[in-house]
Amino acid sequence: MYKYDQYDQTIVDARVEEFREQVGRRLSGELSEDQFKPLRLMNGLYLQLHAYMLRVAIPYGTLDSRQMRMLAHIARKYDRDYGHFTTRQNLQYNWIKLEDAPDILADLASVEMHAIQTSGNCIRNISSDQFAGAAADEVEDPRPWAELLRQWSTFHPEFSYLPRKFKIAVIASDQDRAAMRLHDIGLQVVRNNKGETGFKFYVGGGMGRTPIVAPLISEFVPATDLLSYTEACLRVYNRYGRRDNIYKARIKILLHEIGADEYRRQVEEEFAHVKTLGLDPPASEFERIAAHFAPPAWESGLPDTVDRSNVDFAQWVDQNVTAHKAPGYAVVTISLKPIDGIPGDASSAQIDLMADLAETYSFDELRVTHAQNIVLPNVRKADLLTMWQKLVDAKLADANIDLVTDIIACPGLDYCSLANARSIPVAQKIAARFADPARQRDIGELKLKISGCINACGHHHAGHIGILGVDRKGTENYQLLLGGSGAEDASLGKIAGPGFDEDGIVDAVERTIEKYRDLRQEGERFLDTYRRVGMDPFKEAIYG
Amino acid sequence: MKIVTGNDLETGAVTWWSGDGWSLHIADAVDVGAHGEAIAATEEATRRVNAPYVIEADATSQGPRPAHIKDRIRAVGPTVRLDLNIKPADPTAGSWVI
Ligand code: SF4
C-alpha cells in the first residue's frame, strides 16, 4: 500500500488546520452559509436532510486495517455507530456535527486519509478494480498508476474549477469490475505487441441525466505519456466544456457535441504541446510509487483446495470467493447486503471486525467495491473456513455476491437532499422477496441497481435491472430499466414503460425475473436473455 | 398552514420555527401565515440556522404534517432507521411519513 511521504502528510495536515479555522469563523458567525458552503464542500462536508454528511476519500478503494479501524472509531465517537460505503468506493458518515469536522479530519490525517476532492468541480477520488494486485486476469496491478494520477490530480491548480466534477477509473483486466467506461476517463492498462505497458483511453462516459458509454479515444497511450495525455484530455475539456448549463457541463456532453474524432484531434494537438513540458515523472519516481504496491509475501506450496463438506460454507465460497493470481490464495468479497439490512452500511463493530480479519488473514489489506461490498484480497484458501465462521458470527456471511439481493442502492430520500424518492426501502423489499438463497442461485447473476434521482449514484443505468426514483406530483414513483451493464460489455438500460409505486416496482421486478426464467436458455444470465429476446416479452410480462 | 424549517448550524439537525426560536420537534412549529419569508430572512441573517425555508403543512391533531414527503422524512428521520429517529422507534412514524 502507498505510504504518505512528507509532502503528502504536510498538505493534508495543513488542510485540516485551514478548515479548522474556517469552521471556527462559521461557528462564530463571521462567515455566512453562502460563504462557507464552498469551503466545507472542498473538505467533503455536505449538508443532507438530517445533518451534515462527511464523505471520506478511499483512494482506489484500498485501505489497511489501521485506516479501517479509524473509520470505525470515527463512526463510534462522532457519528451514530455506522458508516455507509458508496458506489465511489468511499465512505460517508451521516450524522456529523460541524464543530467535530476538523477533529475528524485530523483523525483521518493521522492514518493518511482525508476528504479532499470528494466534492466540487475537480478531479474526484480515482477508482479502480477492487481485485487489483490479486486478480488472476490482470496485466499488472493498476493501483500504482491510480496513485500517480492521485498525486497529479491532488490540488491540481488548473483543474480545481472545471466545468463540472471529473471521475477517473483505472483497471488492468479485460473484465471490467469498476464500471470503467461509465467514467469521465476510463483507463485500461494494456501491453502492446512489444510487451510495453500503455493505456486504452476511454473518454466521455458517465451516468446521470445523460448516460453515455465512453468511446475509445486512444488504443494505446504509452505509460510514459500517461500524465501528459490525461492533462491534454482535461485541458480540452476545461477550455470547451460548457459552464453556462450545469446539465450540459460534463465532458460527455462536449464529446457528444463535437464528436469523438474532433475531440481526439484536439487532444492530440494539445498533447504535442503538453509533452514538451516535462510533466511525466522519470521512471525512478514511478518505481518509487510502484514499490509501495509490491505483492505481499505470498507463501508457496500452500494447498490449493478448499474443504467443501460444510454446505453453507461451500455456497459462500462459490458466490463470494474469486480466483487469485497466487496458488493457495483466494480473493474474498464480504457482502454488505444482508436481506434486512441497508446496502453498503456497516456498524463500527463490523468495520472493526473486517479490519481484524484483514490483519489476520489478508496481509492487512481491504478494498471497497463500487457495488458497496468489502474485499479481502489475499486470503489463504486454508483460512477460508475459519474466516467464514467469524463472518457468520458478525452477520457478514451472506452468500449473495452478484445475485439479485446484492443490490446497489444510493441513500435516496432517507438521507439525500437531492433525492426524489427513497431507494433503500425498495432494495429491502426486493431483497425480502428474493430472500430464499436457492431461488437467488437459480436466478443467477443479476445486477440490480437503484437510484433515488436522475443523478444516478446508484448506477441504475448500468443495472441488468435498474430502478430510478422519480417524483410524481409529490409522491414517490419508480421507473424500471432493463438491459444495462457496467462491465466490459457496457450498455445502458432502457425504460420498460410507465412507473410504479413502491410495492408495484417490487412486483414488476419479480414478473421480469420470472419471465427471464421462462425464456432463458442453457447458461444464459438475465442480461444475455434480455439481449437475445429484447424488451417486448418483458414488457408484456410486466404490463400485461 | 405555513411553517418554517431549516438545519441547525452546529449539528445540521432539522429545526422548526416555534414562534420565538427553533425546535427539533415539528409539533412545536407554528403557523407563520404570510410572515414566513421575512422570518427565514431574519433568522438566516443571524447565522444560526442554515438555509431556512417556508413549507406548506396540514394542521392535524398530532401537529403540523408537511405537504411534501421530503419534509415529513426530515421531521422524523430516515424511514429505514427508526432507532435513530427523533422519537426512537415511534410505531406510528412510518404511516405518518407515507
Ligand atoms: S442518486 Fe440522487 S438520491 Fe441517490 S444519492 Fe445520488 S443525488 Fe442522492
Side-chain angles (χ1 to χ4, degrees), chain A residues 48 410-413 416-421 423 451-458:
Chain A
Q48 293 288 37
C410 77
L413 192 54
C416 175
S417 56
L418 300 175
N420 286 324
S423 308
S451 304
C453 80
I454 194 71
N455 289 325
C457 305

